[in-house]
Structures are given as structure tokens and as C-alpha cells.
Amino acid sequence: MAARKRLVSSTEPSSDSKENTQRKPQEQTDPPIAPPKWGLLLKLSLFSLPYLYLIFYHYTIEPELRRSIIINAGMSLAGFFVTLRMIPVASRYVLKRNLFGYDINKKGTPQGNVKVPESLGIVVGIVFLVVAILFQYFNFTADSNWLVEYNAALACVCFMTLLGFVDDVLDVPWRVKLLLPSIAALPLLMAYAGHTTIVIPKPLVPHVGIEVLDLGWMYKLYMGLLAVFCTNSINIHAGLNGLEVGQTVVIASAILIHNIMQIGASTDPEYKQAHAFSVYLVQPLLATSLALFSYNWYPSAVFVGDTFTYFAGMTMAVIGILGHFSETLLIFFLPQVLNFLLSLPQLSGYIPCPRHRLPRFDPQTGLLTGTNDGTLVNFFLRNLGRKSEKTLCIYLLVFQAIACCFCFMLRYFLAGWYK
């Protein structure tokens, strides 16, 4: 979480401006940002082994579908390297425009006085959209049934990325932020032509009397609310170096594995296509987020800004909606749900809510102490004791991974009984 500082220059000419017309003042240049953390990326690359095992060995996937997934993965890998290259370039430009912040969790140390470029999530959003748009050339035809919804999903992501960047620049009030995802979700809601039914859980069928319930317009309302929740839940579960991008990487990895498993286990072509649709969006999200993670991990060389949190939340929302696994997505978001419930008294105004609900940092020890603010970050510190920022972020990301594993176990044990 950054406390942004803006420089305001006066438009009035100085009294000695005429004396200085013949010479240009030397511009102060900021030092380049730290390079990406390649060691971290190398360790994270080991987690690609389950994905490779499932797609090439464990499941028998149709050659044409596998080809599309591999092409998408290759384009996503290219997007990863482009993002790595573009983040330092974009950092120089945002620093020139005084779009930077100071790390509050390092206040009182030399690192706390370093200008950290803000809103670098814009790079991830742009590269993601370019990859996703170009991929249409290799997979979709002009008469494809999925083409309209695919582009509607990209329109939502593009709209949300723009609104997130506007929020970073204009510092939009919190209550207005709640409305932004509902506006950005309009293209998908208007273009959605899929089913609006839900399957009643088998234990409830004798009591309800039907197996399938058509919700009609209420289903689209649910889609809009899901988009609002996913977008804002990523945004408020923040405040540590690497936490916003880290939780996105963990959830996106779980979504990818879930989709590959569903494609491999199903024999329904439409069901497979729905999950393939999700794969085509989640692979570029994961690749570009990993590139940003290498710069944003502790100690952060860049801040992601609301641009990234809005972009990531909306992308995962449209992936879950059009992949028809919104229930699974919400279980993947279990830490975000808990953080929202802890935050509800402050967000509703029942308890005073400060601008930055961050833990207290002790510059002497380098440790964080939990406050009484209702966030999962402070909840962990209050119950586990004082931690360094890096250690606390690792704990939270491990908890995120445990929630995703719990979801897989829940689906396994409830399969055939629940639905």
C-alpha cells in the first residue's frame, strides 16, 4: 500500500526567469528500478509441473483442443517476457509524471524514502489484452458462438483497467469505487446469451421438487454482483509487498488446474468449450501477473495500484462466469471472503475506517504489529504475533493456497452427491 505523493508546480513565472532563458536547468533523474527477481521466478516455475503432467500425460485431450491451449500458452509466455521488458520503461514515464508512492511499511528506514513507481498494473492489463485479442486469429472463426462473449469479456477487462487507472490518477472516493465494477461489467451482461439456470443440489431436490431452476434476470444480477465482489475483494486484501499480485497468481493457478481437470474428465463438448474459454483467458493473466510479481515481491520495486487489482478481479470474475464455475471461484476466494467479512463493520461506517488500514511498522526491529482494523492482515498479526512484512505475506499466500486445495478436496468428496 502506498501513500502517493504528487508534486505541484506553480504556473507563475519567477522573477529571474529572464536571466535563466539562456540555460536549461539540469533535470533530476530518478535511479532505475531494481531488476526482476529471477530466483523467485525460477522457484515458481516448478509449480508448472502439475499443469504439464495433466495436459500431456494424465488426461486424453482432443488434439485440436490441446493445440489451442498450447498456442495460447506460447502466446502467454511471450506476453510474460514483454511485460518484464515494459515495466521498467513504464516506470520511468510514471515517475516523470510524479505518479509514485512511498512504502508506508518501511517508514523510518532508508527504503521508506525511495520513490516507488505507481500503477504499473496498466502494463499487465495492456499486454494481457493484446495477447487475448491476437489469440482470436488462431482459435475463433467468424461464425464462432463464443466470439461475441469472448470479446464482451475483453471489453469488461479493458473497461475495468481504464477505470482502475483513472482511480489511481484521480483518487476516486471509496463509495464510488464500489460502482466502477458494475459499470465495467455491462458489456458482458448485455452480450451474455448463455443459460440462466442453476442445478439444485441433490439433497434439496426432494424438498424443492425440481432439479433445475431458471433464475432469468436474477442470474444476470448475480453475475454483476460477482464481478463487483471479485474486483473489490482483491483491492481491499492488500497492503503488503507482493500480496495483491501473489493472491492473483495463486488463484489463477488454481483456476487453470481446475479447468484442465474438467476438460480432461468431461465428455460434453459444450462443457469442454466453456472451460477451454477460461483457459484462454487465465493463461495470459497468470503469465503477465508473474512478470509483475517479480518486480512487486518484497522489497517492491514497483506498486501495482488499483489498476491491477481491478483488472485482476474483473478478469477472474468473467473467467468464472463464462466458464460456469462461479461456486468454485468463490471457494478459491475464501480468504477474500473472510477479509470482506472482517472489513464489513468499517466499510459500512459502523466503526470508523481510516484511509490506510495497515499494521504498525517498527523501524527498529523491522516487524509489523497488528492493529484493531478489520483486515485479514491485521487478524493474522494479532493471532500469530509480530512478523516481518515478507514473512507475513508468505503466510497469507500459503493460506490462499490452502483455501484453493480445500476447494479441490471439497469438489472431490462431494462429487456425485451434491450435484
Side-chain angles (χ1 to χ4, degrees):
M1 186 72 67
R4 187 178 303 141
K5 178 181 179 181
R6 302 271 175 77
L7 297 182
V8 180
S9 58
S10 174
T11 58
E12 295 295 329
S14 60
S15 59
D16 57 345
S17 59
K18 293 183 179 180
E19 299 176 4
N20 296 329
T21 54
Q22 301 299 325
R23 58 180 181 179
K24 289 183 178 180
Q26 185 178 2
E27 294 184 359
Q28 182 180 0
T29 59
D30 295 295
I33 65 172
K37 301 171 180 65
W38 288 104
L40 174 66
L41 291 175
L42 182 61
K43 294 176 183 177
L44 292 176
S45 65
L46 298 177
F47 290 96
S48 64
L49 296 179
Y51 163 76
L52 298 174
Y53 169 76
L54 291 175
I55 196 171
F56 287 108
Y57 181 78
H58 188 75
Y59 292 116
T60 302
I61 302 175
E62 292 84 350
E64 185 177 352
L65 181 55
R66 178 182 292 168
R67 172 182 170 273
S68 296
I69 294 175
I70 293 174
I71 290 175
N72 183 265
M75 296 182 68
S76 300
L77 184 61
F80 166 80
F81 287 107
V82 171
T83 305
L84 276 180
R85 179 67 183 87
M86 291 304 298
I87 286 177
V89 177
S91 298
R92 293 197 296 269
Y93 282 96
V94 297
L95 284 174
K96 287 180 181 179
R97 303 304 301 170
N98 296 321
L99 195 59
F100 64 86
Y102 296 109
D103 200 329
I104 295 178
N105 287 333
K106 298 178 181 63
K107 188 176 181 180
T109 68
Q111 286 182 321
N113 298 321
V114 176
K115 295 179 181 178
V116 183
E118 275 268 17
S119 307
L120 269 299
I122 190 69
V123 177
V124 176
I126 292 173
V127 175
F128 168 87
L129 288 169
V130 171
V131 171
I133 292 171
L134 291 178
F135 175 69
Q136 297 181 69
Y137 176 79
F138 298 95
N139 191 70
F140 294 105
T141 58
D143 58 346
S144 174
N145 294 329
W146 288 94
L147 192 59
V148 174
E149 292 185 355
Y150 185 85
N151 282 296
L154 295 185
C156 291
V157 174
C158 182
F159 206 170
M160 196 69 257
T161 304
L162 172 63
L163 292 176
F165 190 71
V166 169
D167 183 21
D168 280 333
V169 175
L170 301 182
D171 202 12
V172 177
W174 173 250
R175 288 174 177 80
V176 178
K177 292 182 181 183
L178 292 176
L179 299 176
L180 297 182
S182 58
I183 297 173
L186 287 177
L188 178 60
L189 298 180
M190 296 299 103
Y192 182 76
H195 67 76
T196 57
T197 59
I198 60 172
V199 179
I200 302 298
K202 291 181 179 179
L204 299 179
V205 170
H207 305 283
V208 179
I210 55 175
E211 295 183 356
V212 178
L213 176 64
D214 189 357
L215 296 179
W217 64 270
M218 293 181 63
Y219 190 85
K220 289 194 174 184
L221 176 62
Y222 164 72
M223 290 166 52
L225 293 176
L226 181 65
V228 172
F229 170 76
C230 290
T231 305
N232 285 287
S233 64
I234 296 288
N235 190 40
I236 64 175
H237 187 36
L240 304 176
N241 289 173
L243 181 56
E244 299 96 322
V245 193
Q247 61 186 298
T248 301
V249 168
V250 173
I251 298 174
S253 301
I255 291 174
L256 179 59
I257 296 298
H258 168 70
N259 284 313
I260 297 297
M261 292 173 65
Q262 296 304 306
I263 291 173
S266 175
T267 58
D268 183 358
E270 184 177 354
Y271 186 79
K272 287 185 176 183
Q273 188 60 42
H275 284 282
F277 179 95
S278 298
V279 172
Y280 301 151
L281 291 178
V282 78
Q283 286 188 148
L285 170 65
L286 179 58
T288 52
S289 296
L290 278 172
L292 180 59
F293 190 54
S294 67
Y295 287 99
N296 185 242
W297 182 243
Y298 182 92
S300 288
V302 300
F303 287 146
V304 300
D306 290 341
T307 308
F308 177 80
T309 58
Y310 286 168
F311 153 77
M314 179 58 72
T315 304
M316 289 189 283
V318 299
I319 287 171
I321 291 170
L322 297 181
H324 305 302
F325 58 94
S326 56
E327 292 178 349
T328 301
L329 182 67
L330 284 176
I331 302 178
F332 286 155
F333 270 75
L334 183 59
Q336 286 72 24
V337 173
L338 295 176
N339 185 68
F340 171 74
L341 294 176
L342 290 171
S343 303
L344 201 54
Q346 287 184 313
L347 297 180
S348 62
Y350 183 74
I351 297 177
C353 181
R355 177 175 175 78
H356 298 295
R357 301 183 300 158
L358 296 176
R360 289 190 299 270
F361 174 71
D362 185 357
Q364 303 298 324
T365 61
L367 300 178
L368 297 173
T369 304
T371 65
N372 291 324
D373 290 317
T375 64
L376 200 59
V377 171
N378 286 303
F379 178 82
F380 265 57
L381 286 173
R382 290 196 300 267
N383 289 274
L384 300 179
R386 304 170 72 195
K387 303 288 180 186
S388 66
E389 184 177 2
K390 182 178 181 180
T391 301
L392 178 60
C393 189
I394 292 174
Y395 274 53
L396 290 166
L397 295 182
V398 169
F399 180 60
Q400 186 78 61
I402 292 173
C404 293
C405 292
F406 170 73
C407 179
F408 285 117
M409 292 178 58
L410 200 62
R411 287 184 59 89
Y412 175 78
F413 287 113
L414 295 182
W417 176 81
Y418 181 68
K419 285 188 178 180

